[in-house]
Amino acid sequence: RATMKSLRFISAEAFVSNAEFARKSLSSVAHNLFPLLFKASYLLEQGEVIHDLVENWPLVDFNMGKLLGTTVDYQEDLSHRTCSVCLESCLTGLRDYVLNHPSPYVNRLKVVDLTGMKDVEVQFCECKKTMGRWARTQLLSKLCLELLVYLQQTQCKPGTFEISIDVLIDLFVTERNYELVVQALLKKCYCPLKICCVAFRSDNLALQKFFYIIKLTDPSLLRKLEIVHNVRLEMEHLEILFNSIHFPLLMSLTLPARTFNVRRFTATDERMLTNIGEKMGEMTQLTELSMPFSILTGRIQKLLSPLKTPLKMLDVSNCSLNHADMAYLANSFHANHLEALDLSGHNIPDLYPSIFFKLLSHSSSVLRSLTLEDCNIQDTHVNMLILGLSPCQKLQEFKFLGNPLSSQALKHLFTFLCELPTLKNVEFPVPRDCYPVGITYPIDDASLCRFDHQKYESVAEELNLILLQANREDVKASTPLFGSYDAAVQETNNELGAYLIKSFKETLEKFTNSLNKMS
């Protein structure tokens, strides 16, 4: 659908479409037109014009999210276009702003905010080449270090060292870019461009390196911390982290799989868990918590009851929760505030159907995203599920992959889903009747793709027809067999794969050595 453009925006597009003319004329452009010209240049992927606009930026702040978001002149939000050409031009323009800065009397740029960029699966930019969060981290660190080298080697203008620009960014660090980012953070005080880490994600990183770099980021400013794949953080390490570092502004925390395992708990572990809960209670801004694939049976209350602020997002997928855990969640003050909830991997219909629906009814007025993958929801449970979802009128996303539902049950469910006014995204399972008779759930990876693809396509068509006939073309329905798109994993999957192979090889070597010793 074409978005309306104002005459001002159309004029801006015309102006920047001739790059050579635009670049020559920038000095005579009114300062308040720079944001308009920036968005027009970004839309047309005019890299050279973007570079020059940033290099000569006349305003005190430069906020990517606001500049590319919905504006009066052009409603379309471009912040999900992580176009490589445009972003590289922005960052090199920023470097050159420092090197060729205007006179000290001109308004100085103080804050650059890069945190508003959204990494999505489908890119609409012409070049089709994206610059994800990892690459943005890499390029900014590289430019900061190059800038320092240049400033040391060259006779600079007198005011250059007076420039101090806070660059707000979501850092993404792995083994591959670790050294570069560490150097940039260590030398931050000498560089006119100050990296200010607002969100930090770490994958494929040795624990020692994670502890070192997290201290360099200035944790007092951190709002989001994600420790995800291949960072071997266990409960004792988490306690050390929380005891040694304070995160006063932390709003969102993601912990790696198997951080907790209550099956091998000792009295010391219980004390440790209590301490971690109390430390999280001191994080008064914390509203999002994700701890999938930990074993937390019977300990949810101990972990969450110290929290002073109600959670808006909770991911406890595959955490082996029992009836007491679910009862705590349903009756806690968090229930009325949950906007996103992931309870995947729990046999909800058999273990705690009534308490789950109580939780659902408490959160129904605010719930936007619900994930119930591999929850053993069968045809006989569909009416009950519809009853539970009916009050959730703000639901935008419902994911229920991996449940043994027939084509008929899915059609029945979809007819109901059409009635949820704000629903935008549905992830549904391959119908049970598309798999060979006798398939067992949860389906293992090897059998996941062994279904009748033609029959599935036919059912998917019927489901989309149900949406179409209800005038719900706005709802996207899909079956991502191996889970939802993750921009971070997509960007670093080569490194992730290499890391997994290395880990497997090391395990194999240890096993072989043990066998040799035995023999």
Side-chain angles (χ1 to χ4, degrees):
R1 212 164 53 220
T3 309
M4 289 289 286
K5 297 172 182 176
S6 71
L7 279 174
R8 264 165 50 97
F9 195 83
I10 294 165
S11 305
E13 279 187 295
F15 178 79
V16 301
S17 59
N18 182 340
E20 197 183 340
F21 170 75
R23 294 172 78 191
K24 279 180 189 166
S25 313
L26 275 187
S27 55
S28 52
V29 169
H31 291 177
N32 63 346
L33 291 176
F34 269 64
L36 177 73
L37 293 175
F38 180 80
K39 190 171 183 182
S41 304
Y42 204 96
L43 180 66
L44 299 178
E45 289 173 49
Q46 290 284 32
E48 292 176 330
V49 183
I50 289 171
H51 171 279
D52 287 13
L53 282 165
V54 178
E55 184 185 3
N56 298 286
W57 198 254
L59 308 170
V60 178
D61 75 321
F62 178 90
N63 185 318
M64 285 288 273
K66 282 183 184 169
L67 289 166
L68 298 177
T70 299
T71 50
V72 178
D73 293 293
Y74 185 47
Q75 298 265 302
E76 192 175 337
D77 185 349
L78 303 180
S79 62
H80 54 268
R81 292 197 185 195
T82 53
C83 168
S84 188
V85 170
C86 296
L87 288 169
E88 190 163 344
S89 301
C90 275
L91 291 172
T92 53
L94 187 58
R95 174 200 62 199
D96 295 340
Y97 175 95
V98 174
L99 295 175
N100 313 315
H101 76 285
S103 79
Y105 304 107
V106 173
N107 240 346
R108 280 260 178 84
L109 182 56
K110 294 281 179 215
V111 180
V112 171
D113 190 340
L114 304 173
T115 61
M117 299 308 295
K118 305 176 191 87
D119 296 294
V120 294
E121 188 169 3
V122 181
Q123 280 296 325
F124 292 101
C125 62
E126 290 293 314
C127 76
K128 293 282 182 279
K129 192 163 179 266
T130 62
M131 185 185 286
R133 182 174 167 185
W134 188 92
R136 296 195 291 275
T137 300
Q138 169 97 344
L139 183 59
L140 180 63
S141 304
K142 184 168 162 277
L143 290 174
C144 286
L145 291 169
E146 282 175 4
L147 193 56
L148 273 174
V149 171
Y150 187 85
L151 294 177
Q152 282 165 355
Q153 291 174 351
T154 319
Q155 188 66 46
C156 298
K157 295 176 186 175
T160 303
F161 289 99
E162 290 170 30
I163 294 176
S164 178
I165 302 168
D166 287 339
V167 185
L168 277 56
I169 186 170
D170 298 339
L171 291 180
F172 181 13
V173 178
T174 64
E175 190 71 49
R176 205 153 46 98
N177 66 355
Y178 171 80
E179 290 299 340
L180 188 74
V181 182
V182 163
Q183 287 308 312
L185 290 171
L186 279 170
K187 292 169 181 164
K188 172 180 165 175
C189 55
Y190 308 110
C191 187
L193 297 178
K194 315 279 182 200
I195 295 177
C196 296
C197 178
V198 177
F200 184 87
R201 174 165 175 149
S202 170
D203 283 12
N204 305 328
L205 201 61
L207 210 48
Q208 203 176 351
K209 290 181 176 179
F210 165 74
F211 270 89
Y212 182 64
I213 198 167
I214 198 70
K215 288 176 182 172
L216 295 180
T217 60
D218 190 357
S220 66
L221 298 175
L222 212 57
R223 289 183 208 145
K224 188 171 187 175
L225 176 59
E226 296 168 283
I227 313 160
V228 193
H229 301 290
N230 299 325
V231 180
R232 292 178 181 166
L233 185 92
E234 292 183 11
M235 191 171 65
E236 54 267 37
H237 311 126
L238 187 63
E239 188 187 33
I240 294 165
L241 180 71
F242 286 169
N243 281 341
S244 58
I245 299 174
H246 293 285
F247 300 95
L249 299 182
L250 199 68
M251 297 163 75
S252 178
L253 175 64
T254 299
L255 298 171
R258 294 178 288 280
T259 300
F260 303 99
N261 183 0
V262 304
R263 283 185 191 148
R264 47 184 177 80
F265 259 30
T266 61
T268 308
D269 292 327
E270 292 291 358
R271 282 196 297 274
M272 217 182 277
L273 190 72
T274 304
N275 185 29
I276 288 169
E278 286 166 0
K279 288 292 176 189
M280 291 201 312
E282 291 168 17
M283 299 171 194
T284 55
Q285 309 285 313
L286 191 67
T287 56
E288 296 181 359
L289 184 59
S290 179
M291 36 188 187
F293 292 95
S294 273
I295 297 171
L296 285 164
T297 317
R299 305 303 196 288
I300 281 287
Q301 182 166 359
K302 187 174 269 194
L303 206 51
L304 301 188
S305 60
L307 299 185
K308 313 278 190 302
T309 313
L311 290 171
K312 290 181 182 176
M313 190 283 271
L314 179 63
D315 177 354
V316 280
S317 54
N318 301 283
C319 284
S320 306
L321 303 189
N322 63 14
H323 193 279
D325 295 315
M326 200 58 86
Y328 166 74
L329 285 178
N331 297 308
S332 71
F333 78 133
H334 302 294
N336 299 313
H337 297 86
L338 284 171
E339 294 175 16
L341 177 64
D342 190 341
L343 289 169
S344 299
H346 293 100
N347 189 341
I348 288 169
D350 288 353
L351 295 179
Y352 24 61
S354 58
I355 207 80
F356 164 70
F357 287 113
K358 185 180 182 181
L359 171 60
L360 209 53
S361 76
H362 284 174
S363 59
S364 61
S365 63
V366 290
L367 193 67
R368 289 184 294 106
S369 174
L370 178 64
T371 308
L372 301 174
E373 296 178 1
D374 300 311
C375 283
N376 196 30
I377 299 167
Q378 301 179 30
D379 290 15
T380 50
H381 309 129
V382 168
N383 285 334
M384 191 167 63
L385 183 63
I386 288 171
L387 208 61
L389 289 174
S390 294
C392 304
Q393 294 290 297
K394 289 189 179 169
L395 198 68
Q396 294 174 14
E397 183 174 64
F398 180 40
K399 301 178 181 181
F400 57 108
L401 297 166
N403 288 293
L405 291 164
S406 69
S407 313
Q408 214 48 47
L410 284 170
K411 289 174 202 171
H412 180 33
L413 186 54
F414 264 66
T415 306
F416 157 73
L417 292 175
C418 292
E419 296 167 22
L420 295 176
T422 59
L423 194 68
K424 288 282 175 281
N425 185 35
V426 177
E427 290 184 4
F428 65 95
V430 172
R432 186 174 190 149
D433 40 301
C434 290
Y435 280 105
V437 178
I439 187 92
T440 54
Y441 285 77
I443 301 171
D444 58 65
D445 285 354
S447 311
L448 206 53
C449 296
R450 291 182 189 154
F451 59 90
D452 185 333
H453 288 258
Q454 208 172 346
K455 187 175 181 182
Y456 165 77
E457 290 301 336
S458 164
V459 175
E461 219 169 281
E462 286 182 68
L463 296 176
N464 274 303
L465 192 63
I466 291 170
L467 295 172
L468 203 64
Q469 287 170 341
N471 292 321
R472 293 306 304 269
E473 298 98 321
D474 58 324
V475 178
K476 180 194 169 208
S478 63
T479 306
L481 279 179
F482 297 100
S484 304
Y485 176 77
D486 182 330
V489 169
Q490 192 65 33
E491 192 182 7
T492 57
N493 58 7
N494 289 345
E495 188 179 352
L496 192 63
Y499 191 97
L500 288 172
I501 290 166
K502 183 170 168 262
S503 298
F504 180 66
K505 202 175 158 199
E506 284 170 3
T507 308
L508 215 56
E509 280 169 2
K510 281 179 192 169
F511 180 64
T512 311
N513 290 339
S514 302
L515 283 177
N516 290 340
K517 280 176 188 171
M518 282 167 71
S519 57

